[in-house]
Amino acid sequence: MATFRASQVVPSPAEDSERLRKAFVGLGTNERAIISILAHRNAAQRRRIRETYQETYGEDLFKSLDKEISGDFERAVLLWTMDPAERDALLANEAATKWYPGNRVLVEIACTRSAGELLSAKKAYQARYKRSLEEVVAAHIKGDFRKDISRSKLHISLVPMVVLLLFPLVSCHRYEGPEVNVALAKSEAKILHEAISDKVYNHEEIIRILGTRSKAQLVVTFNQYNDEFGNPINKDLKHDPKDEFLATLRAIVRCIFCPERYFEKVVRLAIEGLGTDENALTRIIATRAEVDLQLIKEIYAKRNSKQLDQAISNDASGDYEAFLLELLGHEEN
Amino acid sequence: MATFRASQVVPSPAEDSERLRKAFVGLGTNERAIISILAHRNAAQRRRIRETYQETYGEDLFKSLDKEISGDFERAVLLWTMDPAERDALLANEAATKWYPGNRVLVEIACTRSAGELLSAKKAYQARYKRSLEEVVAAHIKGDFRKDISRSKLHISLVPMVVLLLFPLVSCHRYEGPEVNVALAKSEAKILHEAISDKVYNHEEIIRILGTRSKAQLVVTFNQYNDEFGNPINKDLKHDPKDEFLATLRAIVRCIFCPERYFEKVVRLAIEGLGTDENALTRIIATRAEVDLQLIKEIYAKRNSKQLDQAISNDASGDYEAFLLELLGHEEN
């Protein structure tokens, strides 16, 4: 259910490279040409264009793009043009090295990608940054922790919780087979409910269950929780809407239980209110256009009584708007 | 530096299968034939024999072996005949589901295999046991924890430490490139030394550093520790020789710093004293014969003023002894 569709008849990578090169050279840049080519090539085609461009012109396509375009448009084009694993590696690195409360990118990457996709992203991360994502997550959050000690004692107990929470998410290679254990789901739903009822949200059992069980198993556990205790687990995790740790737990549950609804919410919050969170909007569209953006659009339309492309048109402008709308499959409506 | 050498001229998998089948059928089993074939085939050849045997006789070779041979000899033949990833999956599962103090098998598998080998073992684990090694390690040790609460309060603080220690080891996909950061090694050697001097051996920084840094980085960190603070880190971790947590930390350091010396010690302890720890002896020989057993033999000879094959001959007997000696390359001496 992707929105993105590659053109039926695709020019050769050499032709695409040549057209891109022409769009770059001379006075001014032909942004429309960049959009018309890159927004209509799939991941494998974009990779071949990049390789051919490098061979032909002796320069990385990303370097050329960086010289010619800028701002939100540039970020959208670069993120989209990257391989999915490379893109996740970059996003994860931004999130891990500039970590701030409210940043859910690591949760999103760890919980909405398959085990194989997450592993590919971690391998791309190692190739690019010469270290593992795991050590950066563990070390950076520690760094943050040390800084915070001087400011407020609250963080002393808070941050090790976040380490414990994020670390298994990014490090675990979850089982993805179809087998689920209903008895285990019942017993772990009970464990979750007890910890939540006691308001011990950072209970190591919550972290262990969310961090290590397979997604299929967790979906059964969440359903058991709802059936047995009368509330969706995320309702019970709303005790304090401003609590960062609880918000992270809810994001994990949403990413596992229904990733499309999670993505719709990120997009909605990015667009809603004064100003737009372009980083979040670009991230979701660039990472989901080849996966499940069609479903996200449908959920968005139902939830907001408005089409997503219309909402983006109202909020974004220029080449950035045009590029996002192409990825959204605007012309098909 | 493996001891194992496949025969120069190897019969076809069909011939080997037929000879094995002949060794099984009729009255009595021809153990010498089993040894002469399987102990002289490399991992790829053993895999093909197993496939051919299954196709030809409609039975898993392991099932046939299980019917015909038994005891330590059986365990050695089965472990050796398995694919390395499958073998590690089986050993890890035994260790994770029958966890007991002093069991270092998980540390050994997590810290002496490459990231790719550990990942293959984890994939083999999922294929065989329909769940991830990570979730079993996390859940089982929790289970052990709960049982222990009733017995002794000591374990309440002990076991989450072990969870924290083992979990990153089995879950992390460590970076394996050559890059090391000497400044980081200096600062982390200092962090390790401070925690060890304060006797806070379960300090989250110790767990983070040992669990997530690349092995090349850790070797530099251990050397910095020795240079800066005058003792090898493992000497400072010997505060209480009976402390299980400290012993686990030392095993991690040894597995990373010098795996061959770690293996020599396991073999030495398995042979030393009254009785033999056949499980440990079989494990090391079956897992290292194609890797670094030659080096382990040399270290053993130097450390114990005695050849390893001589020591095994004194301790083991019958087909079990004969099989181990073949894997040790006895005939070459």
Side-chain angles (χ1 to χ4, degrees):
Chain A
M1 293 273 275
T3 56
F4 165 83
R5 278 176 189 78
S7 303
Q8 291 286 318
V9 183
V10 176
S12 71
E15 287 173 78
D16 278 340
S17 295
E18 200 188 330
R19 283 180 60 212
L20 283 169
R21 190 69 179 183
K22 277 191 187 146
F24 300 154
V25 293
L27 275 178
T29 305
N30 185 348
E31 285 85 1
R32 297 290 142 165
I34 297 174
I35 296 170
S36 75
I37 299 167
L38 291 176
H40 296 276
R41 301 293 178 273
N42 66 28
Q45 291 161 349
R46 299 193 301 274
R47 191 182 316 128
R48 282 196 295 274
I49 292 172
R50 201 175 156 193
E51 288 161 1
T52 308
Y53 187 94
Q54 171 78 48
E55 283 161 22
T56 313
Y57 303 107
E59 185 173 71
D60 185 352
L61 175 61
F62 287 6
K63 266 227 167 110
S64 301
L65 283 165
D66 182 47
K67 284 188 214 159
E68 299 298 326
I69 60 179
S70 63
D72 297 325
F73 176 51
E74 178 187 357
R75 185 169 166 91
V77 171
L78 292 182
L79 276 184
W80 164 252
T81 306
M82 287 177 175
D83 267 336
E86 195 187 4
R87 186 201 288 144
D88 279 350
L90 182 118
L91 292 169
N93 194 55
E94 288 178 356
T97 54
K98 295 170 208 158
W99 193 81
Y100 52 89
N103 186 339
R104 308 270 178 268
V105 177
L106 284 172
V107 167
E108 183 180 306
I109 290 174
C111 297
T112 69
R113 274 48 159 177
S114 71
E117 288 166 346
L118 178 59
L119 179 67
S120 297
K122 293 200 289 184
K123 287 182 175 172
Y125 189 96
Q126 295 195 8
R128 183 166 183 148
Y129 301 106
K130 311 296 176 202
R131 50 192 180 176
S132 70
L133 176 58
E134 290 94 318
E135 65 187 303
V136 173
V137 166
H140 173 74
I141 296 173
K142 279 300 302 174
D144 211 59
F145 169 49
R146 280 197 220 95
K147 265 189 292 170
D148 282 331
I149 291 179
S150 55
R151 289 194 219 134
S152 150
K153 285 212 166 172
L154 186 70
H155 285 270
I156 296 176
S157 59
L158 225 178
V159 176
M161 291 176 356
V162 179
V163 181
L164 288 178
L165 194 53
L166 286 180
F167 185 77
L169 296 184
V170 298
S171 63
C172 241
H173 192 77
R174 289 186 203 254
Y175 173 63
E176 285 188 329
E179 285 81 1
V180 294
N181 181 332
V182 177
L184 182 70
K186 279 188 186 178
S187 96
E188 294 196 337
K190 192 157 171 280
I191 292 170
L192 292 174
H193 185 255
E194 278 171 14
I196 293 171
S197 300
D198 293 345
K199 300 194 173 50
V200 191
Y201 303 113
N202 63 337
H203 195 290
E204 57 188 339
E205 285 287 72
I206 296 185
I207 294 165
R208 174 184 68 78
I209 293 167
L210 294 182
T212 68
R213 292 303 185 196
S214 80
K215 292 181 193 174
Q217 177 71 28
L218 285 172
V219 167
V220 178
T221 303
F222 298 152
N223 285 332
Q224 286 290 339
Y225 186 104
N226 197 354
D227 292 348
E228 187 71 24
F229 306 108
N231 273 334
I233 183 168
N234 263 5
K235 200 174 169 200
D236 289 347
L237 288 171
K238 263 196 191 133
H239 175 67
D240 174 2
K242 288 190 180 161
D243 184 298
E244 174 67 15
F245 189 80
L246 281 180
T248 308
L249 283 178
R250 291 197 304 274
I252 294 169
V253 171
R254 280 207 314 279
C255 281
I256 290 169
F257 196 70
C258 189
E260 301 84 11
R261 301 193 80 82
Y262 163 84
F263 290 124
E264 185 278 332
K265 191 172 176 186
V266 176
V267 167
R268 171 160 34 95
L269 296 179
I271 294 174
E272 251 177 20
L274 274 176
T276 307
D277 180 350
E278 286 86 2
N279 261 359
L281 184 60
T282 301
R283 184 182 82 240
I284 304 300
I285 292 182
T287 59
R288 308 317 294 178
E290 282 176 294
V291 189
D292 54 6
L293 191 53
Q294 185 57 39
L295 203 52
I296 298 167
K297 275 171 70 173
E298 287 164 18
I299 297 169
Y300 184 93
K302 203 166 170 190
R303 170 70 175 72
N304 302 281
S305 308
K306 161 164 66 173
Q307 298 298 321
L308 179 55
D309 22 30
Q310 196 53 51
I312 289 176
S313 276
N314 293 344
D315 259 46
S317 63
D319 301 318
Y320 177 56
E321 175 196 355
F323 188 70
L324 293 188
L325 292 181
E326 290 293 316
L327 292 185
L328 273 170
H330 186 63
E331 79 281 17
E332 293 173 347
N333 294 320
Chain B
M1 294 274 275
T3 56
F4 165 82
R5 278 176 188 78
S7 303
Q8 291 287 320
V9 182
V10 175
S12 71
E15 288 172 79
D16 278 339
S17 296
E18 199 187 330
R19 281 182 59 213
L20 283 169
R21 190 69 178 183
K22 277 190 188 147
F24 301 153
V25 293
L27 273 178
T29 304
N30 185 347
E31 285 84 0
R32 297 289 142 165
I34 297 174
I35 296 171
S36 74
I37 299 168
L38 291 176
H40 296 276
R41 301 293 178 274
N42 66 28
Q45 291 162 349
R46 298 193 301 273
R47 191 182 317 128
R48 282 195 296 274
I49 292 173
R50 199 173 157 195
E51 288 161 3
T52 308
Y53 187 94
Q54 171 78 47
E55 282 160 23
T56 313
Y57 304 106
E59 185 173 71
D60 185 352
L61 174 60
F62 288 5
K63 266 226 167 113
S64 301
L65 284 166
D66 182 47
K67 283 188 218 159
E68 300 299 325
I69 59 180
S70 63
D72 296 326
F73 176 51
E74 178 188 358
R75 185 169 165 88
V77 171
L78 291 181
L79 276 184
W80 164 252
T81 306
M82 286 179 176
D83 266 335
E86 194 186 5
R87 185 201 288 144
D88 279 350
L90 182 117
L91 292 169
N93 193 56
E94 288 178 355
T97 55
K98 295 169 208 156
W99 193 81
Y100 53 88
N103 185 339
R104 308 271 178 266
V105 177
L106 284 172
V107 167
E108 181 179 308
I109 291 174
C111 298
T112 69
R113 274 48 160 176
S114 71
E117 288 166 347
L118 178 58
L119 180 68
S120 297
K122 293 201 290 184
K123 286 182 176 172
Y125 189 97
Q126 295 195 9
R128 183 167 183 147
Y129 301 106
K130 311 296 175 201
R131 52 193 179 174
S132 70
L133 176 59
E134 291 94 319
E135 66 188 303
V136 173
V137 167
H140 173 73
I141 295 173
K142 281 300 303 174
D144 212 60
F145 169 49
R146 279 197 221 95
K147 265 190 291 171
D148 282 331
I149 290 178
S150 55
R151 289 194 220 137
S152 151
K153 286 212 167 176
L154 186 71
H155 286 271
I156 296 176
S157 59
L158 224 177
V159 177
M161 292 179 351
V162 180
V163 180
L164 287 178
L165 194 53
L166 287 180
F167 185 78
L169 296 184
V170 298
S171 64
C172 242
H173 192 77
R174 288 187 204 253
Y175 173 63
E176 287 188 329
E179 285 81 2
V180 294
N181 181 334
V182 177
L184 182 71
K186 281 187 185 179
S187 96
E188 295 196 335
K190 194 160 172 273
I191 292 172
L192 292 174
H193 185 255
E194 279 171 14
I196 292 170
S197 300
D198 294 345
K199 300 193 173 54
V200 191
Y201 303 113
N202 64 337
H203 195 290
E204 57 187 341
E205 285 286 72
I206 296 185
I207 294 165
R208 174 184 68 77
I209 293 168
L210 294 182
T212 68
R213 293 303 185 195
S214 81
K215 292 180 194 173
Q217 177 71 28
L218 284 171
V219 167
V220 179
T221 303
F222 298 152
N223 285 331
Q224 286 290 338
Y225 187 103
N226 198 354
D227 293 348
E228 187 71 26
F229 306 109
N231 273 335
I233 182 168
N234 262 5
K235 200 175 169 199
D236 289 347
L237 287 171
K238 264 196 190 135
H239 175 67
D240 174 3
K242 287 191 180 160
D243 184 297
E244 173 67 14
F245 189 79
L246 281 180
T248 308
L249 284 178
R250 291 197 304 273
I252 295 170
V253 171
R254 280 205 315 277
C255 282
I256 291 170
F257 196 70
C258 190
E260 300 84 11
R261 301 191 79 83
Y262 163 85
F263 290 125
E264 185 278 333
K265 190 173 176 185
V266 176
V267 168
R268 172 161 34 96
L269 296 180
I271 294 174
E272 250 177 20
L274 274 177
T276 307
D277 180 350
E278 285 86 2
N279 261 359
L281 183 61
T282 301
R283 184 182 83 241
I284 302 301
I285 291 182
T287 59
R288 308 317 294 179
E290 280 175 295
V291 190
D292 53 6
L293 192 52
Q294 185 56 40
L295 203 51
I296 297 167
K297 273 172 72 174
E298 288 164 17
I299 297 170
Y300 184 93
K302 203 167 168 189
R303 170 72 175 73
N304 302 281
S305 309
K306 160 164 66 173
Q307 297 298 321
L308 179 56
D309 22 31
Q310 196 51 53
I312 288 177
S313 275
N314 293 343
D315 259 46
S317 62
D319 300 319
Y320 177 57
E321 174 196 356
F323 188 70
L324 293 188
L325 292 181
E326 290 293 314
L327 293 185
L328 274 170
H330 186 64
E331 78 280 17
E332 293 173 347
N333 294 317

